[in-house]
């Protein structure tokens, strides 16, 4: 099956064990990631897919830490060196969400409104999705990313009418 279709299918079907303590399997998984990427010519996307979608964020963070000790390179840098295009973007997004979800979503909100025009679909999806989860923390991180401007001020400047009122109510 083409990788383009296998990652979304894997993500939709992923069920992972919640592991919060150090897990002996982390070294095995880190080595598997290394062998699938930096340790060979070409990249075995299936290995990255299997590991990144089937492990809990806490477990993956431990795997990423161990990966750095065996490869002397961060997992994100490894992905950037080994992959390109949509594949790299998909795996980078997974790793960024695992490592720091608040920063990732604040950055996505910022990107949805920076420059000319607004990516309304992305803005609405993120605001509604994160509003009852971690939007308070995201707003704090947004202020750092946007050099002191608040999420509310970005919404005020980019949106209008009832659309703006609804988004501000979510804040």
């Amino acid at each position: 099956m083409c990788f383009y279709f296998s990652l979304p299918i894997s993500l939709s079907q992923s069920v992972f064990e919640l592991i919060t303590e150090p897990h002996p399997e982390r070294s095995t998984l880190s080595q598997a990631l290394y062998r699938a990427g930096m340790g060979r010519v070409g990249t075995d996307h299936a290995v990255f897919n299997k590991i990144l979608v089937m492990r809990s964020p806490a477990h993956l963070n431990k795997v990423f830490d161990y990966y750095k000790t065996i490869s002397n390179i961060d997992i994100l840098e490894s992905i950037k060196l080994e992959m390109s295009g949509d594949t790299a973007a998909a795996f980078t997004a997974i790793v960024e969400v695992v490592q720091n979800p608040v920063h990732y979503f604040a950055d996505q909100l910022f990107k949805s409104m920076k420059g000319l025009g607004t990516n309304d679909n992305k803005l609405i999806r993120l605001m509604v999705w994160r509003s009852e989860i971690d939007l308070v923390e995201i707003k704090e991180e947004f202020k750092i990313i946007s050099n002191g401007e608040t999420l509310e001020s970005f919404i005020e400047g980019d949106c209008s009418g009832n659309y703006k009122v609804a988004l501000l109510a979510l804040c």
Side-chain angles (χ1 to χ4, degrees):
M1 178 183 289
C2 173
F3 172 76
Y4 186 75
F5 296 108
S6 66
L7 182 62
I9 290 169
S10 297
L11 285 169
S12 70
Q13 296 174 345
S14 69
V15 176
F16 51 76
E17 197 180 323
L18 289 176
I19 299 170
T20 56
E21 298 174 11
H23 196 276
E25 194 180 39
R26 76 178 187 271
S27 63
T28 306
L29 294 175
S30 299
Q31 290 167 355
L33 285 172
Y34 181 77
R35 284 191 307 272
M38 298 299 289
R40 65 178 275 171
V41 175
T43 305
D44 187 346
H45 298 125
V47 172
F48 277 82
N49 182 9
K50 182 178 179 182
I51 293 171
L52 294 180
V53 302
M54 298 302 289
R55 303 295 176 204
S56 71
H59 190 186
L60 283 173
N61 276 315
K62 295 188 184 322
V63 169
F64 298 157
D65 289 343
Y66 194 78
Y67 181 89
K68 190 170 185 173
T69 65
I70 64 171
S71 69
N72 294 321
I73 190 168
D74 182 73
I75 189 72
L76 279 173
E77 190 62 31
S78 176
I79 290 169
K80 289 175 187 170
L81 291 171
E82 288 291 318
M83 301 176 198
S84 62
D86 291 339
T87 304
F91 285 130
T92 298
I94 292 170
V95 171
E96 287 176 350
V97 168
V98 164
Q99 289 180 331
N100 190 345
V102 169
H103 178 80
Y104 176 80
F105 292 118
D107 187 52
Q108 293 302 305
L109 281 168
F110 179 74
K111 287 176 181 175
S112 75
M113 293 183 281
K114 80 173 185 178
L116 293 175
T118 301
N119 184 335
D120 294 315
N121 289 336
K122 183 185 246 185
L123 177 59
I124 293 166
R125 186 179 66 246
L126 289 169
M127 290 293 294
V128 170
W129 179 28
R130 306 313 292 187
S131 66
E132 293 185 0
I133 300 171
D134 54 1
L135 192 57
V136 171
E137 293 89 1
I138 290 171
K139 286 169 44 177
E140 292 170 14
E141 186 70 19
F142 186 93
K143 197 170 184 178
I144 294 168
I145 291 171
S146 66
N147 295 319
E149 286 195 60
T150 65
L151 177 59
E152 292 88 342
S153 69
F154 261 73
I155 291 170
E156 288 274 348
D158 276 30
C159 306
S160 61
N162 290 335
Y163 174 51
K164 175 172 73 173
V165 171
L167 289 175
L168 290 173
L170 291 172
C171 287

